[in-house]
Amino acid sequence: MQCSARAAASPARAALLRRGTAGTQQVQHALPSRAPRWRRQRSHQGLIVEALRKEAHAEAHKPVVGKTQQHKGGEPIHIDEMIDTVRAALRSVAGGDLDFSPYDTAWVALVRKLDGGEGPDPEFPSCIDCIARNQLPDGSWGDDAIFVVQDRLINTLACIIALTTWNVHRDKCRKGLSFLHENIKRLREDDDNWMMVGFEMTFPTLLEMAKDIGLDIPYDEPVLQDIYAKRELKLAKIPIDVLHSVPTTLLFSLEGMPGLLDWDKLFKLQAPDGSFLASPAATAYALMQTGNKKCLEYLTDVVDKFEGGAPFIYPLELFERLWVVDRLERLGLSSYFRSEIDSYLDYVYRHWSDEGIGFTWGCSVPDLDDTIMGFRFLRQRGYHISTEVFKCFETKDGEFIVYPGQSNQSVTAIYNLYRAADQAALPGDDSVIERAKAYSYAFLKERQAAGDLNDKWIISSGLPSELAYGLEFPWKANLPRVQTRMYLEQYGGSENVWIGKNLYRMHLFNNDLLLKLAKVDFSNFQRQCQFEWQGLKRWCEKNNLEMYGVTPQSAMRAYFLAAANIFEPHRAAERLGWARTVVIAQAISSCFQSSNAYVTESMLEGLNSELTSDGDNLARRGEKYSTVDNGLLNALHELINLFAPGEEASNDLREAWNTWLTELTTNDVHESCEGSTALLLVRTVEICSGRHCSANQNLKLSEYSQLEKLTSSICSKVGSRTLSQVNQNGTTTESTENLEQQVDQEMKELVQCVYQSCDAISRATKQTFFNVTRSFCYVTHSSPETIDSHISKVIFEDVI
């Protein structure tokens, strides 16, 4: 039976498509001859396996642990079926769905039977069988799709030692030794950023073990001497007293420190589940040295869950849940899985600590990456989380580190720090969050300029593009559908590979089914957008809006801003209400900027008539304005009486337009009325959504007034900045920066109102305020060429 994460990864999760191709040009270059893609086959059948059969491709070779075997299929899976498959996987989440690790499995295989008996026998014979079944055709063990020298060498040497120790599978040992002889010189080829965790400690230990059992390895190779030197340097830096008294990441690599360990002291740092920092290899070494029963119980549980093998780490359920939420949101799929996401974040909050969190609830060493991801999501879901947690990872030199004693910085962890500081800052926060934002932005820009964006935790070909977009568009100017369209090209699905003591894959949030679902969902969105756009264009032509200054380009931009924020299929009325409102408002503004006083007076008279009882009476009689002479009034009449559900809603919308028109006519022509336009958009969207009854009740709430005040103020400020750019009125850099600071401060207040305020106002309504405000910031932030490019990608360009 194939060794795989049977209990750790349920049947549902086993259905997620895996495809493991090389993630970067450097990795592809490192492939001398690409190993065939094998697939993990689980023993479970049912709906999910049937879904896979419809979608996946046939594989010629027997499956290897860690992948799902795929079959030729016919028709594509329906989107509802894909959603159900993903939902089943999300609901069956346990301790983490990841590959088995040949390295850790070899360490567990070395454990001798503890209950005595005649002669030495392995405590976990299934691990030996798992190793034997998963040797690659070239004689190595490791990731079969990506060739990273350290990964192949450390896995292969550990497996050879285990098989040789038990005197089994000599042919496999010979093939493995041949691979080592051919490739050990290539160690210098690896990117320093992709060093396996603790490699300079654990690999020399394996070499010494290999020498003790007489394995023929070129121990005098210069590259090995370099590694020995690095080991001695690191050992000299290890504070032995700290190692034995305080939980540190050194616990994760205990097997690489023979002769230095005082087990009586170390067992005080043992995790509640019996492991040492959730590492099967370190725990197996502790078991071999001490016979500790809790270590045995942990390893027995892990080997059972992974059907004979062991992963490089287990459990890691906090890390898995947080990254699932992140991927679902950026892929634009979160609306399908709101209850699952809420459940995940409730779990995270239950295990939250003001000192930070780690990859699992029992982790005694918090890390920046998991902590910051949790901080951002919890704040955005209304949990009250203090910024004091940032200080746990800030050094005296002003740097932010993932954990103490790290050898190099992580690009993705610092990017997650930047996103947290950019997206979840609130008024009154400690200045540490601003220091975190400044540090992370400067660090990422420096690495970007140097072209040094390979990360220590993940191999992803889309990472440079992901960072470039994230740094160019701060959250206040980042439209949801633009982000998703970009991320569809950056997210690697099953091609993304994670770096631990060896390479591994996280199947729940890096899989091809999620990618396919996201692409199908986005393609459906594009088809609906193109259909709605054609209708909007016909509406403009029918009402002869071009004579009022409306162009296809301006109408398209209005629709794009609506669709990029409100993209769910059932919300067409809100999208079109937003777009038509912008078109009509721009046309009316154009009329009032006309030098023809008669045109202005005539238009004002017609608008006053439409927005009073005359317009209501016209609607009651079922009549319309002439589209030849009064197309603009007819367009407004249709918006009010067709998009607003019911007489009360129509009257509310008339009132909103009256308010807007009053401000337009009393403002100076050079003044920005973007604030009032933003509030008109909010009111329109709320009325078109059917939430107008609750909207009327909201008007009485102070929180609602605060949302209106902030939205109006921010949009007015960014509008005045745009106006000054258009008029070229000599605005100074200092005044622009001051305006930007004011906007940033008010955005924090708006974020607090949207995510941290009372529940009397619905989440959807608060999100409408945020969407409208963000669209104004986006327009100010982006050049016309950039907006046109985004329109093309979001609405028209096929998702490949």
Side-chain angles (χ1 to χ4, degrees), residues 290-355:
T290 67
N292 181 269
K293 289 185 178 180
K294 289 184 68 177
C295 290
L296 177 61
E297 291 171 0
Y298 166 78
L299 291 173
T300 301
D301 181 59
V302 167
V303 171
D304 178 65
K305 283 182 167 66
F306 284 79
E307 295 187 352
F312 103 96
I313 189 171
Y314 191 85
L316 67 172
E317 83 290 344
L318 282 174
F319 166 66
E320 184 177 64
R321 283 168 167 81
L322 287 167
W323 264 252
V324 165
V325 175
D326 180 71
R327 273 31 175 188
L328 289 176
E329 289 209 340
R330 289 203 276 173
L331 287 169
L333 300 175
S334 59
S335 62
Y336 295 116
F337 308 107
R338 294 202 186 282
S339 64
E340 290 77 20
I341 290 173
D342 289 343
S343 173
Y344 280 15
L345 295 180
D346 283 344
Y347 180 89
V348 173
Y349 184 67
R350 287 199 303 273
H351 298 289
W352 183 259
S353 165
D354 289 338
E355 285 74 46

Side-chain angles (χ1 to χ4, degrees), residues 447-508:
R447 291 287 288 265
Q448 185 183 45
D452 184 16
L453 292 177
N454 284 341
D455 185 48
K456 66 185 292 183
W457 298 130
I458 186 172
I459 299 175
S460 170
S461 61
L463 183 56
S465 174
E466 180 185 339
L467 292 175
Y469 176 79
L471 293 175
E472 183 180 357
F473 287 91
W475 199 47
K476 66 183 179 184
N478 184 16
L479 303 187
R481 226 44 181 169
V482 177
Q483 174 181 261
T484 294
R485 182 64 179 86
M486 299 304 176
Y487 195 59
L488 286 173
E489 299 175 359
Q490 298 155 0
Y491 172 74
S494 64
E495 294 181 6
N496 287 350
V497 182
W498 293 81
I499 302 171
K501 288 182 180 177
N502 54 2
L503 299 181
Y504 68 102
R505 296 170 188 272
M506 294 298 300
H507 300 300
L508 189 58

Side-chain angles (χ1 to χ4, degrees), residues 121-163:
D121 289 308
E123 179 69 36
F124 300 100
S126 63
C127 289
I128 297 174
D129 296 335
C130 184
I131 291 170
R133 282 195 303 271
N134 287 281
Q135 188 176 32
L136 299 177
D138 63 2
S140 70
W141 282 265
D143 192 277
D144 60 324
I146 294 182
F147 192 104
V148 175
V149 180
Q150 287 188 13
D151 171 67
R152 292 296 186 92
L153 291 186
I154 198 166
N155 281 311
T156 301
L157 182 54
C159 289
I160 293 172
I161 290 171
L163 297 180

Side-chain angles (χ1 to χ4, degrees), residues 534-707:
Q534 291 302 320
L536 182 67
K537 196 161 58 168
R538 288 193 296 271
W539 172 78
C540 290
E541 294 169 352
K542 178 191 72 173
N543 288 297
N544 200 23
L545 296 184
E546 190 171 357
M547 68 177 291
Y548 302 99
V550 176
T551 66
Q553 291 76 18
S554 63
M556 179 74 254
R557 181 175 292 191
Y559 177 76
F560 161 72
L561 292 174
N565 282 286
I566 304 173
F567 52 85
E568 293 84 354
H570 62 281
R571 300 180 69 185
E574 295 170 63
R575 277 190 296 277
L576 291 171
W578 177 327
R580 291 193 182 198
T581 297
V582 171
V583 168
I584 294 170
Q586 289 176 347
I588 293 173
S589 297
S590 177
C591 287
F592 279 92
Q593 291 172 6
S594 169
S595 57
N596 189 324
Y598 173 77
V599 170
T600 302
E601 185 177 343
S602 174
M603 177 56 64
L604 183 59
E605 183 180 342
L607 288 170
N608 286 330
S609 176
E610 170 57 33
L611 297 176
T612 57
S613 57
D614 290 344
D616 185 35
N617 293 332
L618 192 67
R620 288 175 184 274
R621 296 193 300 270
E623 299 177 18
K624 297 182 178 181
Y625 295 95
S626 165
T627 57
V628 176
D629 300 323
N630 296 294
L632 182 54
L633 293 177
N634 188 68
L636 178 59
H637 180 80
E638 288 181 344
L639 172 65
I640 291 174
N641 294 287
L642 296 180
F643 277 76
E647 182 177 349
E648 182 182 355
S650 297
N651 290 335
D652 288 342
L653 195 50
R654 280 193 183 86
E655 182 183 343
W657 274 98
N658 251 322
T659 302
W660 176 82
L661 183 61
T662 299
E663 182 153 348
L664 175 71
T665 54
T666 55
N667 274 0
D668 184 88
V669 69
H670 294 299
E671 289 184 40
S672 166
C673 62
E674 302 287 53
S676 58
T677 302
L679 296 183
L680 174 62
L681 281 176
V682 170
R683 196 86 169 118
T684 300
V685 170
E686 289 299 290
I687 289 173
C688 291
S689 71
R691 294 189 292 268
H692 63 283
C693 293
S694 59
N696 284 336
Q697 297 171 354
N698 289 337
L699 290 173
K700 304 173 185 177
L701 297 173
S702 60
E703 290 86 352
Y704 194 88
S705 297
Q706 181 69 0
L707 284 167

Side-chain angles (χ1 to χ4, degrees), residues 54 56 110 140-141 167 260 268 365 385 439 475 498 512 571 695 753:
K54 295 177 183 179
L110 287 170
S140 70
W141 282 265
N167 196 25
L260 296 178
K268 296 178 182 178
V365 184
I385 305 295
Y439 168 79
W475 199 47
W498 293 81
D512 295 328
R571 300 180 69 185
C753 288

Side-chain angles (χ1 to χ4, degrees), residues 626-787:
S626 165
T627 57
V628 176
D629 300 323
N630 296 294
L632 182 54
L633 293 177
N634 188 68
L636 178 59
H637 180 80
E638 288 181 344
L639 172 65
I640 291 174
N641 294 287
L642 296 180
F643 277 76
E647 182 177 349
E648 182 182 355
S650 297
N651 290 335
D652 288 342
L653 195 50
R654 280 193 183 86
E655 182 183 343
W657 274 98
N658 251 322
T659 302
W660 176 82
L661 183 61
T662 299
E663 182 153 348
L664 175 71
T665 54
T666 55
N667 274 0
D668 184 88
V669 69
H670 294 299
E671 289 184 40
S672 166
C673 62
E674 302 287 53
S676 58
T677 302
L679 296 183
L680 174 62
L681 281 176
V682 170
R683 196 86 169 118
T684 300
V685 170
E686 289 299 290
I687 289 173
C688 291
S689 71
R691 294 189 292 268
H692 63 283
C693 293
S694 59
N696 284 336
Q697 297 171 354
N698 289 337
L699 290 173
K700 304 173 185 177
L701 297 173
S702 60
E703 290 86 352
Y704 194 88
S705 297
Q706 181 69 0
L707 284 167
E708 287 190 317
K709 177 183 175 183
L710 289 169
T711 297
S712 176
S713 178
I714 294 169
C715 294
S716 293
K717 286 181 173 67
V718 297
S720 64
R721 178 179 167 186
T722 303
L723 193 62
S724 68
Q725 292 170 348
V726 171
N727 295 333
Q728 296 179 343
N729 61 358
T731 304
T732 65
T733 302
E734 183 178 351
S735 63
T736 300
E737 291 178 353
N738 183 50
L739 197 64
E740 194 74 22
Q741 290 174 0
Q742 293 177 36
V743 168
D744 286 344
Q745 181 59 33
E746 290 180 344
M747 280 298 296
K748 292 179 184 179
E749 296 177 38
L750 182 62
V751 167
Q752 186 172 45
C753 288
V754 171
Y755 295 118
Q756 300 272 311
S757 62
C758 70
D759 295 330
I761 304 171
S762 74
R763 177 189 293 185
T765 296
K766 290 187 286 188
Q767 191 63 42
T768 298
F769 279 98
F770 191 68
N771 287 340
V772 169
T773 303
R774 196 153 56 164
S775 70
F776 278 76
C777 292
Y778 167 83
V779 170
T780 302
H781 181 81
S782 307
S783 68
E785 294 76 18
T786 297
I787 295 175

